[in-house]
Amino acid sequence: MKCFAVDDEPMVLSLLERTIREAAPACTVQAFGSALDALVAVDAGAHPDVAFLDIEMYDMTGLALAKALRERSPETKIVFVTGYAEYALEAFNVRARGYVLKPVTVEKIRAELEDVQEPARPPATVVRVQTFGHFEVFAHGEPVRFAHAKTKELLAYLIDRRGASVNTAEVCAVLWEDRPDGPSVRSYVRTLLSDLSNTLQRVGADDVLVKRRNSFSVDCARVECDYFRFLEGDMAAVHAYRGEYLSQYSWAEMTLGNLERLR
C-alpha cells in the first residue's frame, strides 16, 4: 500500500509519518509539508492508495487538496487528520473515507487503514440525500428540483423509514396530520407518487423508488445518505450530525430524539 501524509507543520507531519509506518510497516509513505508538493508528485505519476491530509494548511486547504487529488487520482482514498471536528460535514461532502481527530495514534491510523482496505461499497446510485439540517437531494452532484414541495417531503419520509414499506393511509396521516383521510387526500398522494417516480426517472434513479400493489418504499442500497451512514457508525457522518435532522418537517422529531440518544 502507498500512502501520502500531508501536513504543513513539520513536527506534526513527522509524527504522522512515523505513526503510519508503525501502524502498517509494509506501507510506503511519502510525506509532504505542502499541499502543492503533493499535487506535483501526483502529476509526476505517484498515485497513492490512501492520502492522510491535514485540513488547515497555508497554501491550500485539505478540502481543496482532496478535490484536486480526486480529479487526478480517482482511486485514492482520502482520510482527513485534523484537530477540528467542525470540518466533518465538509469531509463527508468530498466523500472522505475517514476522519481522524488529532492527536494521531497508531490505533486510530491502523483502524482507518483496515477500513479503507475493505472493498468499497459499489456505487449505489446517482442520488445522495442530506438529512442533517434541511432535507436536500442531489443527483450527479446537482440539486434535484421537485415540482411540488410535498413530493420532496414524501421522499424525505420514505428515507426516514429506511426502506420500510408504507401505504397511502400512513402517508396521509403523516403528511396531512391536520386533515382527515379521504378520497381527495389519497388522490393527491397518488399524484405525488407519480411525480416522485417521474422526478427520479428524469435523473436516472428510477430504481430508488420501490412500488408494490398496496405500498411503497425506497431501496436504501440505491441511496447515499448521511443518516444511514450515521447508523452504520461512519465517523464522518457522526461528526456531521449537529443536532438537526430533517428540520423543516415536524414529523421527524421522533427520529431526532433517537439520534440524540445514540449520540
Side-chain angles (χ1 to χ4, degrees):
M1 179 179 291
K2 300 177 182 178
C3 294
F4 274 12
V6 187
D7 197 304
D8 62 353
E9 296 184 34
M11 292 183 63
V12 176
L13 177 61
S14 178
L15 173 62
L16 176 59
E17 182 181 4
R18 289 199 311 272
T19 304
I20 296 171
R21 293 185 188 280
E22 186 174 346
C27 182
T28 301
V29 184
Q30 289 183 269
F32 301 92
S34 157
L36 294 177
D37 287 346
L39 287 180
V40 169
V42 172
D43 289 338
H47 294 283
D49 300 294
V50 186
F52 291 89
L53 311 179
D54 185 26
I55 289 184
E56 289 201 342
M57 295 185 285
Y58 71 91
D59 56 348
M60 177 186 290
T61 70
L63 297 167
L65 175 57
K67 293 177 182 177
L69 281 174
R70 284 204 172 280
E71 293 174 357
R72 293 166 166 81
S73 182
E75 299 303 316
T76 297
K77 299 173 180 64
I78 305 298
V79 176
F80 288 110
V81 183
T82 178
Y84 302 94
E86 60 266 27
Y87 288 112
L89 179 59
E90 290 90 339
F92 175 74
N93 287 336
V94 297
R95 303 173 67 86
R97 284 295 299 270
Y99 194 93
V100 177
L101 287 176
K102 295 177 181 178
V104 297
T105 64
V106 171
E107 291 73 20
K108 290 179 182 178
I109 296 299
R110 183 179 292 127
E112 292 299 332
L113 288 172
E114 289 174 353
D115 180 63
V116 299
Q117 289 182 80
E118 293 179 358
R121 71 185 76 184
T125 183
V126 297
V127 170
R128 177 175 67 85
V129 301
Q130 172 186 302
T131 64
F132 296 161
H134 267 54
F135 181 66
E136 300 296 344
V137 184
F138 303 88
H140 306 288
E142 297 295 328
V144 175
R145 306 298 178 189
F146 295 87
H148 306 283
K150 281 292 184 183
T151 302
K152 185 176 181 179
E153 185 176 359
L154 172 59
L155 178 57
Y157 182 64
L158 295 177
I159 292 293
D160 180 73
R161 292 300 307 272
R162 287 190 294 136
S165 296
V166 302
N167 55 37
T168 302
E170 179 180 344
V171 172
C172 291
V174 172
L175 271 60
W176 290 276
E177 55 187 349
D178 57 340
R179 292 177 60 181
D181 186 8
S184 63
V185 176
R186 287 177 176 249
S187 176
Y188 190 21
V189 171
R190 289 191 290 270
T191 299
L192 294 181
L193 270 173
S194 177
D195 182 45
L196 177 57
S197 180
N198 291 336
T199 300
L200 293 172
Q201 187 175 27
R202 188 176 68 246
V203 298
D206 49 310
D207 55 354
V208 169
L209 184 63
V210 179
K211 292 184 288 185
R212 300 178 180 87
R213 182 173 180 180
N214 297 312
S215 64
F216 43 94
S217 62
V218 292
D219 183 348
C220 297
R222 315 306 298 173
V223 179
E224 182 179 330
C225 173
D226 49 3
Y227 173 42
F228 299 164
R229 293 180 66 180
F230 178 100
L231 295 177
E232 293 169 359
D234 182 276
M235 290 309 299
V238 171
H239 287 301
Y241 174 66
R242 302 295 179 80
E244 293 186 327
Y245 171 79
L246 299 179
S247 53
Q248 68 265 56
Y249 306 127
S250 60
W251 48 259
E253 291 178 0
M254 182 176 294
T255 302
L256 176 61
N258 291 334
L259 286 170
E260 285 297 294
R261 283 190 290 273
L262 288 172
R263 185 168 67 161

